[in-house]
Amino acid sequence: MVESYKYLGVHLNNNLDWSHNTDALVKKGNSRLFLLRRLRSFGVQGPLLRTFYDSVVGSAIFYRIVCWFSSITDRDRKRMDRLVRRASSVLGCPQDSVEVVGNGRMMAKLSSMLNNTSHPLQDTLTALGSSFNERLLHPRCVKESFDHSAFRWMMTMVFVVKEINNNSSLLPGVKLGYRNAAMPLLP
């Protein structure tokens, strides 16, 4: 049995948790944080250092964050936040935590899906609008009943189904689909 599989840079394991993915992100983040420290030691400061963080370090730490951030363990979240805090100390200014970045990117993804009439889940999300329209307008509200974890799992599954269907070498001769009660089978 395969214990872990890397697909498009995301590590999936047989326990269906994100521990392998977090290990890989922390390892990659630490190696890129070393480069950030080296740049600072050479006298690079301010906006240039911040640009390097955003494009090289942050992009590695937060890769595919919409899929995993709400489902990682507290231990893994603390490891990721510790990495962000260390980057903050190198930059000399505070950076957003994993939760803040994850919520922001998830809300941006959700908004783009709601605004894209050709997206296969647009009708479903519109029908569920009363669950999260207020949350889109007031993202800090914690009283809404929108299930972020379920949404991320759904987005992960949509992504995997599309990738499997678009890459015939993954599962030759197999086409996958998904459905819900309100919609017919979607390719």
Side-chain angles (χ1 to χ4, degrees), residues 113 121 124-125 149-159:
M113 289 168 59
L121 295 174
T124 303
L125 293 173
S149 179
F151 175 74
R152 284 179 199 83
W153 277 108
M154 176 189 69
M155 291 304 303
T156 302
M157 291 307 300
V158 168
F159 173 75

Side-chain angles (χ1 to χ4, degrees), residues 103 107 134-142 148:
N103 278 329
M107 295 308 285
E134 279 296 309
R135 182 143 178 96
L136 284 174
L137 297 174
H138 308 287
R140 300 257 183 239
C141 180
V142 295
H148 293 281

Side-chain angles (χ1 to χ4, degrees), residues 76-137:
D76 286 342
R77 183 180 311 280
K78 288 176 185 174
R79 290 173 61 208
M80 295 293 291
D81 280 336
R82 191 176 317 120
L83 189 60
V84 171
R85 283 193 306 273
R86 287 200 322 260
S88 297
S89 71
V90 172
L91 291 169
C93 60
Q95 301 301 308
D96 290 336
S97 68
V98 170
E99 186 169 354
V100 170
V101 172
N103 278 329
R105 291 191 186 176
M106 190 273 306
M107 295 308 285
K109 180 68 174 173
L110 183 59
S111 294
S112 73
M113 289 168 59
L114 283 168
N115 294 328
N116 181 357
T117 56
S118 64
H119 193 282
L121 295 174
Q122 202 267 346
D123 291 336
T124 303
L125 293 173
T126 302
L128 295 172
S130 62
S131 297
F132 53 77
N133 277 350
E134 279 296 309
R135 182 143 178 96
L136 284 174
L137 297 174

Side-chain angles (χ1 to χ4, degrees), residues 8-138:
L8 297 175
V10 177
H11 295 259
L12 306 169
N13 67 16
N14 60 349
N15 294 328
L16 296 178
D17 64 26
W18 296 102
S19 59
H20 286 93
N21 190 63
T22 303
D23 292 343
L25 292 175
V26 168
K27 182 178 179 182
K28 187 179 281 190
N30 279 325
S31 69
R32 294 190 180 184
L33 190 56
F34 170 78
L35 298 173
L36 187 69
R37 285 189 182 110
R38 292 291 292 175
L39 281 175
R40 188 184 67 180
S41 73
F42 293 136
V44 176
Q45 297 176 7
L48 188 56
L49 204 58
R50 174 60 196 232
T51 300
F52 183 84
Y53 169 79
D54 288 338
S55 60
V56 177
V57 181
S59 65
I61 296 171
F62 301 123
Y63 183 72
R64 294 278 182 206
I65 192 170
V66 172
C67 296
W68 55 259
F69 93 94
S70 69
S71 303
I72 61 174
T73 64
D74 287 337
R75 177 184 169 274
D76 286 342
R77 183 180 311 280
K78 288 176 185 174
R79 290 173 61 208
M80 295 293 291
D81 280 336
R82 191 176 317 120
L83 189 60
V84 171
R85 283 193 306 273
R86 287 200 322 260
S88 297
S89 71
V90 172
L91 291 169
C93 60
Q95 301 301 308
D96 290 336
S97 68
V98 170
E99 186 169 354
V100 170
V101 172
N103 278 329
R105 291 191 186 176
M106 190 273 306
M107 295 308 285
K109 180 68 174 173
L110 183 59
S111 294
S112 73
M113 289 168 59
L114 283 168
N115 294 328
N116 181 357
T117 56
S118 64
H119 193 282
L121 295 174
Q122 202 267 346
D123 291 336
T124 303
L125 293 173
T126 302
L128 295 172
S130 62
S131 297
F132 53 77
N133 277 350
E134 279 296 309
R135 182 143 178 96
L136 284 174
L137 297 174
H138 308 287

